[in-house]
Each structure stands twice: as structure tokens, then as C-alpha cells.
Amino acid sequence: MPHIPSRHLAEGPRVGIRHFTYEDGAEFTARARESKDLHHPWLFPPDSAQAYEAYAGRLIEDRTKAGFLVCEKDPDPAPGDGPGSSIAGFVNINNIVEGGFLSGALGYGAFAHAAGRGLMREGLDLVVRYAFGPMRLHRLEINVQPGNAASIALARSCGFHLEGFSPRMLYLDGAWRDHQRWAITAETVTSG
């Protein structure tokens, strides 16, 4: 059987990461609708075709952003189908700054069918390594609301360190929300 190249930028044992495409809209929005209870009140991914097109467009076209889909690999694709996968979640690098700073701010979310299975941990690790490798960034930051225990646990498990607290940092769900700042640098990953 001929080798079929992967669409993934990087792969782990159970997931691969790849960039967003406009063609992912139907699956992404269906997963977002299925996951509303899991996401509320922390994040609000697009759940309609129009909202997805605008969201994906920013991630695809804006050089200060990079969006990655975390895709669960199909361990047994049908012959001739190529490597199968379904979207387990997403990790976006926003506010990418080049020059002397070489940093970005991460946002992420798991979809309900994948939550609690370790897929996002594997996916976030892949994105961090990709950001510090091919993207040549030096620092990544995650800003998370103090009550979002799952997101804090994910940041901690991937080697991010708590750096501080920012009161009323982001306007979300109708109010200015406090956030903790978690960060990691390339040296931490390469030496760890």
C-alpha cells in the first residue's frame, strides 16, 4: 500500500495538529454546539457557518495569529481513506510579536467528546514545540480566569508557570474578568 502523507504539522501517539481551513467549518461548529455546556462561561467558539468563516479567516490570514486544530488520529482508517481524524479541540496563538519579543498568547478549548481524555494535553504540547521550533517563538503566555480549574490544570501539566494576576483583564460574557498569567519559554521546553 502506498504511503499517504499526513496533513498534520506535528503528531503524537493519539493526536496531530494542523492549521484551520475553511472546509473544517461544518465539523468545528457542530462540535462547538455540542460543547456549549462545557465551554460556558469560559469561552465561546463560533457555532455557525458565518461566525466560523470570520473566525477562521482571522486565523488563516492575520500574520499575528496562528490557529491549530487538535485532531484525534483514527487508529484504523479504512483502506484507501488515508489517515482519518476528528477535531478534538483547538489551540490558537494570538498577538504574535516578532523582533526582540518573539512571543504569543495562547487560547484553547477541548470539545465535549474529547474532554478529560488527555488529548488536549498532547495537542498543547505539540503546539508549544511547534511554536518554539518552526515558528521560532521564544515565549508563550496563557491568560486564564482563576475559576477555570481545567484550563489551569492543562497549563500546569504542560509546564507553564504562574507569573501573575491581572485584574479585570478581558471583557468576556458581559463583564471584565480577572485572569492569571501562565507562561513558558523555549529554554524551559528544550532543557526540560
Side-chain angles (χ1 to χ4, degrees):
M1 178 188 310
H3 173 71
I4 300 170
S6 173
R7 294 175 42 192
H8 298 132
L9 300 165
E11 292 186 348
R14 298 184 300 150
V15 303
I17 58 168
R18 63 179 176 80
H19 289 298
F20 277 73
T21 69
Y22 291 108
E23 293 77 26
D24 293 308
E27 182 182 358
F28 188 97
T29 56
R31 299 282 188 203
R33 288 189 300 273
E34 294 166 0
S35 305
K36 278 191 183 291
D37 290 342
L38 175 67
H39 293 157
H40 187 79
W42 315 116
L43 72 150
F44 304 89
D47 62 1
S48 71
Q50 183 178 7
Y52 177 83
E53 188 169 327
Y55 178 81
R58 289 188 298 273
L59 294 169
I60 293 167
E61 297 170 21
D62 186 339
R63 289 181 41 121
T64 66
K65 299 179 187 316
F68 301 90
L69 295 172
V70 176
C71 300
E72 185 173 13
K73 295 183 338 189
D74 183 349
D76 191 22
D81 281 353
S85 63
S86 65
I87 301 172
F90 56 95
V91 180
N92 299 330
I93 306 176
N94 299 296
N95 306 322
I96 296 172
V97 179
E98 296 177 343
F101 202 33
L102 293 175
S103 72
L106 293 180
Y108 49 79
F111 290 124
H113 75 285
R117 297 174 45 210
L119 302 175
M120 285 302 294
R121 166 125 178 23
E122 188 177 321
L124 183 56
D125 277 340
L126 291 171
V127 170
V128 166
R129 291 185 183 283
Y130 189 82
F132 291 152
M135 290 180 71
R136 302 170 110 12
L137 295 179
H138 174 256
R139 174 186 161 84
L140 295 171
E141 186 171 303
I142 296 170
N143 295 293
V144 59
Q145 292 178 59
N148 190 343
S151 187
I152 290 170
L154 179 58
R156 184 179 287 125
S157 73
C158 288
F160 286 75
H161 299 280
L162 180 63
E163 287 192 334
F165 180 78
S166 298
R168 297 170 302 286
M169 180 182 180
L170 291 173
Y171 191 79
L172 297 168
D173 198 25
W176 287 99
R177 307 289 178 179
D178 298 341
H179 281 71
Q180 292 179 354
R181 291 186 322 276
W182 293 77
I184 194 169
T185 61
E187 296 86 357
T188 307
V189 172
T190 56
S191 67

